[in-house]
Amino acid sequence: MGRYTGPVEKLSRREGVELFLKGERALNGKSALERRGDAPPGQHGQARRKKPSIYQTQLRAKQTAKRYYGIREGQFRRYVQKANRMHGVTGEELLNLLERRLDNVVYRLGFAGTRAQARQFVNHGHVRVDGKKVDIASFLVKEGQTIAIHGPVREVAAASTELTGVVSGWLQTDFEALEGKVLRLPVRSDINAPVNEQLIVELYSRL
């Protein structure tokens, strides 16, 4: 299945949480989730079941994470498998991998209004890691690396920094230079994401 290209606010309503897929619109409290509530999309809205099954709850947790980070099923499954082979807690290792994606780091640094925009910056070659062009959105950053925005998108990136609040403690940002640094690898307390990683791990353990 290809990448979803429909109205992105439907995804937030479907999961019942704000996924920040619309950038400034969500920050200004104008998202569809704010205006219409968490009823699933549809012509008349659809009532949520009062007591979903365990599988449904786990599935929704996975879909929320995939949509939040903008990742397809096959790639997401590979992240889960990789996290399972690591030495730490599988769910936390999974979030660590997702957070270290270059497109997510560009977004977390405040250089893009959405992860989709950050991914576009990376794919079009406007991001440098330690001074070298990296055009792979799934590139995993490491401790000590620097990330900078180059080229004609600098003006767009500079506008995005105006909407940025607090940058996560594992990152450091120079808004004027449009450059950031990975101070350390993220831990669970650094990751403010509407994701229940334990449910995701439980889901894949039964597949």
Side-chain angles (χ1 to χ4, degrees):
M1 180 181 290
R3 188 175 298 279
Y4 177 79
T5 58
V8 294
E9 289 188 320
K10 274 189 175 183
L11 302 182
S12 290
R13 291 180 60 208
R14 178 65 185 86
E15 304 308 333
V17 294
E18 182 56 68
L19 301 177
F20 295 99
L21 302 176
K22 204 68 172 180
E24 181 179 0
R25 186 181 181 91
L27 292 174
N28 289 336
K30 297 179 180 179
S31 70
L33 192 66
E34 287 284 333
R35 291 181 286 109
R36 301 183 182 183
D38 64 352
Q43 183 177 0
H44 304 293
Q46 302 153 10
R48 295 184 183 275
R49 293 184 178 181
K50 292 183 179 180
K51 190 176 181 180
S53 68
I54 294 175
Y55 175 76
Q56 285 176 315
T57 303
Q58 294 169 341
L59 180 62
R60 294 267 57 86
K62 181 195 74 168
Q63 292 296 91
T64 296
K66 282 172 50 184
R67 289 165 173 173
Y68 184 73
Y69 287 101
I71 300 173
R72 300 184 191 183
E73 174 62 32
Q75 190 173 32
F76 192 83
R77 182 185 293 270
R78 288 191 291 274
Y79 279 124
V80 174
Q81 293 170 344
K82 183 173 182 178
N84 197 43
R85 294 193 298 268
M86 299 171 77
H87 297 298
V89 178
T90 301
E92 294 183 8
E93 295 288 9
L94 172 62
L95 285 182
N96 180 289
L97 292 171
L98 296 174
E99 282 289 312
R100 288 169 53 205
R101 284 174 53 96
L102 183 57
D103 55 354
N104 180 73
V105 172
V106 170
Y107 170 74
R108 291 291 194 199
L109 288 170
F111 300 153
T114 64
R115 286 180 180 79
Q117 185 180 58
R119 188 176 304 111
Q120 188 176 50
F121 287 175
V122 176
N123 291 341
H124 290 181
H126 299 307
V127 177
R128 302 288 187 273
V129 178
D130 289 341
K132 298 181 180 180
K133 182 176 75 172
V134 177
D135 57 6
I136 301 173
S138 60
F139 176 87
L140 296 180
V141 301
K142 299 176 182 178
E143 183 177 343
Q145 289 185 320
T146 59
I147 294 90
I149 303 296
H150 282 253
V153 301
R154 284 179 61 84
E155 185 175 342
V156 177
S160 294
T161 65
E162 299 296 326
L163 301 172
T164 303
V166 178
V167 174
S168 185
W170 64 287
L171 300 170
Q172 182 182 66
T173 304
D174 183 337
F175 289 135
E176 293 187 4
L178 294 180
E179 183 173 297
K181 184 174 182 178
V182 181
L183 299 177
R184 55 179 172 79
L185 298 186
V187 295
R188 184 62 182 95
S189 58
D190 293 321
I191 304 171
N192 182 21
V195 175
N196 188 325
E197 64 274 18
Q198 184 56 38
L199 291 177
I200 298 172
V201 173
E202 291 173 0
L203 173 65
Y204 280 96
S205 69
R206 59 191 288 177
L207 297 179

